[in-house]
Amino acid sequence: MAITVAELLAEPQLGLSLIAGADGLGNRITWAHTSDLPRLWEWVTGGEIMMTNGLSIPADAPGQVELAHALVDAGASGLAIGEKMHAPALRPEFLAACDALALPLINVPYPLPFIAIARTVAESSLLEESRRLRQTARIYDLLRLTDTTGNHWQSLVQGVAAEVDSRLFVVDRRCLHPWHPDGEPLPAAVRAEVEPLARNAAAGSKTFRWHMVGDHHFLLVGIPTHANALLIVMPHAEPHPDAVVLLHAATVLGLELSRTVLALEGQRRVGAEFLLQAFEGRYGLAEMENQLAAFGVPAQKFLVLSMSSDDDGHLADIHLELWRHGFPAIVVRRLNKLHALVSAECPLDMLRHAVPADVRLGVSTPSTVNELQQALQESLWALGTAGHSAEQLVCYADGPSWLGLTSYEQGAAIVQRLLGPIMEYERGRQPDLMVTLRTFLDLQRSWAKTAEAMFTHRQTVIYRIKKISELTGLNMAETSTLAQLWFALQINEAMDFQGQAGRPPAPL
């Protein structure tokens, strides 16, 4: 076991004496550390005796009392002050605070070097180091020994918790929800205390510091393999778990999370291939139901989600966010959109929480396997509505109208009426007319700019626009015609899953 404060004071060659804090003589010392920086407690990881020449000690009584409280909150085992150096007068309020907090205040006789104290503590810690190595080895071995059936994650967390004699929680530092769907949620009292500290940790502040919740200490440790994963340690008793052992515990839990995420990535690829073929109608109903069940999505009541963002990187981990909150999803990326199937039990508030704020989201009505294509059309329509409004999330038939339209059927009818003749003409050909029309309208009806953008001759553009007029029966010189065609193009682009401008709308 580590040396206690009383045992350190009893070392005759040191000649240390106790000034205050006699109730803390049983505190165990894991290390001896020297610092003369103003915020002395920021260098405490738990169990250290802090040694200073006095520059770290404020001159006023309130500042000295604050120092005592901060050291105890951080988990310091004691404070040693060099005699005849730079320490100000120790105020009676400071001595009383050390007595009340059981913080041993030790006088280091002049000219005893601090290194003599550090050497004594280090020599007494050799047996403790051996114990630490054995404990660390057992923690790593839990990755191999933990039963892989049932709730594997919680079994591993409980095994590590038993080794460090603590209660452990692995949470997302952004929202403090369990990082793993099988994880234990934070108690409300702890969550209220951790929330501001987690925000500071996310901003880059030092996190390896003990804090107090009521009568209990807790510690925040970052999971090294996942930027937003945070390990919260609540020890059952004194002394606190060894800091190095806790870092290894965080690493072991991070390795398990990485293994889980790797398996989910393999499942995501398989699911994307299945979903793409399902959207194209290549599966029978019975086979689709079996596949959905295997992915954890109910076949009789699911939602189709369509998402887009100006930053494609924000779409990459949405399936992981949904899984972490207990809702497995099947996802597929198609061009600049992400499409997903998730249980209809997933609340809209959860979708808003799991999806980044700049991602636009269209949600279908609850559907069954024989309504999959229709649900996809609904989600695309809702996404188009979101893209043309201030709403982040739009549910089909519940969201605001899109330029007067409220349903996919209305939009499809407009597309068929205005663009259908062009699409039918180009069936089996390159969609030169559709691409030309879109480019022509995007470039403010400039013949020269359209020709330059399409690497073709100006007369070719003129010919294609004239052909569009013949096919649709519309006068391309009229503003109302151009407005209708632009509107139809926007609808078609939003609803077109394949991303092919020349493909006619799917049958309703």
Side-chain angles (χ1 to χ4, degrees):
M1 296 292 289
I3 190 172
T4 65
V5 174
E7 290 168 342
L8 183 66
L9 288 170
E11 291 288 333
Q13 77 279 12
L14 298 179
L16 305 176
S17 59
L18 184 69
I19 302 174
D23 289 344
L25 290 177
N27 293 351
R28 297 200 172 273
I29 303 172
T30 59
W31 197 247
H33 183 65
T34 302
S35 176
D36 293 310
L37 296 174
R39 298 170 65 86
L40 190 60
W41 58 88
E42 290 190 343
W43 309 102
V44 175
T45 62
E48 294 90 350
I49 183 169
M50 301 300 292
M51 302 179 292
T52 176
N53 65 11
L55 292 174
S56 298
I57 300 176
D60 60 301
Q64 292 183 5
V65 171
E66 180 188 5
L67 171 64
H69 281 275
L71 285 172
V72 170
D73 288 345
S77 292
L79 175 62
I81 303 174
E83 185 181 57
K84 299 179 182 180
M85 291 188 180
H86 307 287
L90 302 181
R91 304 296 181 179
E93 295 89 343
F94 178 46
L95 302 181
C98 291
D99 285 331
L101 296 169
L103 175 68
L105 187 62
I106 299 170
N107 179 71
V108 181
Y110 181 84
L112 179 72
F114 287 157
I115 191 64
I117 301 174
R119 183 181 295 115
T120 300
V121 172
E123 289 172 352
S124 69
S125 298
L126 290 177
L127 292 177
E128 183 69 12
E129 180 65 21
S130 176
R131 184 199 63 80
R132 175 196 291 168
L133 290 173
R134 292 194 302 272
Q135 187 180 26
T136 301
R138 290 195 301 271
I139 289 175
Y140 277 98
D141 212 30
L142 287 172
L143 279 174
R144 178 180 62 86
L145 297 176
T146 304
D147 185 8
T148 56
T149 62
N151 192 333
H152 176 57
W153 169 251
Q154 197 58 24
S155 296
L156 178 62
V157 173
Q158 290 171 358
V160 175
E163 280 292 342
V164 297
D165 192 26
S166 303
R167 195 174 178 189
L168 302 182
F169 304 89
V170 179
V171 300
D172 185 330
R173 72 172 73 237
R174 297 166 297 182
C175 62
L176 299 184
H177 291 166
W179 203 98
H180 193 286
D182 296 330
E184 182 181 358
L186 273 175
V190 180
R191 181 187 177 94
E193 296 289 337
V194 168
E195 196 162 11
L197 298 170
R199 282 198 298 268
N200 291 337
S205 299
K206 181 178 175 62
T207 61
F208 203 90
R209 173 187 163 195
W210 291 98
H211 305 274
M212 289 289 290
V213 177
D215 296 331
H216 302 284
H217 282 97
F218 70 92
L219 176 70
L220 309 180
V221 184
I223 301 288
T225 56
H226 294 78
N228 291 313
L230 191 65
L231 172 63
I232 299 177
V233 183
M234 296 184 64
H236 292 309
E238 296 282 357
H240 293 154
D242 183 85
V244 174
V245 172
L246 289 178
L247 289 174
H248 285 292
T251 299
V252 165
L253 295 173
L255 290 173
E256 177 59 26
L257 290 181
S258 295
R259 185 163 64 181
T260 301
V261 170
L262 186 61
L264 286 171
E265 184 60 22
Q267 188 178 32
R268 183 200 63 79
R269 289 193 292 268
V270 174
E273 182 63 28
F274 156 73
L275 191 56
L276 185 61
Q277 296 187 37
F279 281 149
E280 295 174 353
R282 299 185 185 183
Y283 287 101
L285 296 183
E287 189 175 4
M288 281 186 60
E289 289 178 353
N290 292 335
Q291 291 275 14
L292 289 177
F295 287 110
V297 177
Q300 297 307 316
K301 196 176 183 183
F302 59 79
L303 301 173
V304 176
L305 315 175
S306 291
M307 290 163 270
S308 66
S309 173
D310 295 333
D311 186 345
D312 282 350
H314 290 174
L315 301 174
D317 293 330
I318 288 177
H319 63 294
L320 285 177
E321 295 294 325
L322 291 170
W323 166 82
R324 287 181 43 245
H325 290 90
F327 294 97
I330 314 172
V331 299
V332 63
R333 292 285 294 269
R334 188 67 177 174
L335 298 179
N336 61 340
K337 296 183 181 70
L338 178 74
H339 305 278
L341 260 65
V342 69
S343 169
E345 299 297 322
C346 183
L348 296 182
D349 287 345
M350 179 56 69
L351 289 177
R352 291 187 179 95
H353 175 78
V355 173
D358 68 331
V359 172
R360 296 172 292 277
L361 177 61
V363 184
S364 75
T365 57
S367 305
T368 60
V369 289
N370 60 342
E371 300 167 328
L372 179 62
Q373 281 76 23
Q374 179 181 343
L376 174 62
Q377 294 167 354
E378 291 176 355
S379 69
L380 284 167
W381 177 265
L383 176 62
T385 304
H388 289 78
S389 69
E391 300 288 335
Q392 180 207 9
L393 183 150
V394 172
C395 293
Y396 181 76
D398 291 338
S401 66
W402 180 8
L403 297 180
L405 304 178
T406 58
S407 69
Y408 172 86
E409 288 79 3
Q410 293 177 352
I414 288 178
V415 171
Q416 184 61 46
R417 178 171 61 84
L418 295 173
L419 302 179
I422 306 173
M423 295 176 179
E424 185 62 32
Y425 173 80
E426 293 195 325
R427 188 184 297 275
R429 303 186 179 101
Q430 290 294 324
D432 293 334
L433 297 184
M434 291 292 292
V435 174
T436 301
L437 176 61
R438 180 182 292 106
T439 307
F440 181 64
L441 295 180
D442 286 346
L443 295 177
Q444 311 303 317
R445 304 177 303 282
S446 168
W447 305 105
K449 290 181 179 179
T450 302
E452 181 180 359
M454 298 191 65
F455 302 100
T456 190
H457 195 275
R458 181 174 182 274
Q459 283 301 124
T460 302
V461 175
I462 294 173
Y463 166 78
R464 290 176 182 173
I465 297 300
K466 182 178 179 181
K467 186 66 176 180
I468 291 171
S469 179
E470 293 174 358
L471 291 170
T472 60
L474 298 172
N475 184 352
M476 299 296 289
E478 294 184 0
T479 301
S480 61
T481 294
L482 299 176
Q484 292 179 68
L485 289 174
W486 178 87
F487 185 27
L489 283 171
Q490 302 305 306
I491 298 172
N492 184 63
E493 182 176 347
M495 296 189 306
D496 188 7
F497 170 68
Q498 296 297 333
Q500 299 170 353
R503 181 183 178 184
L508 301 179

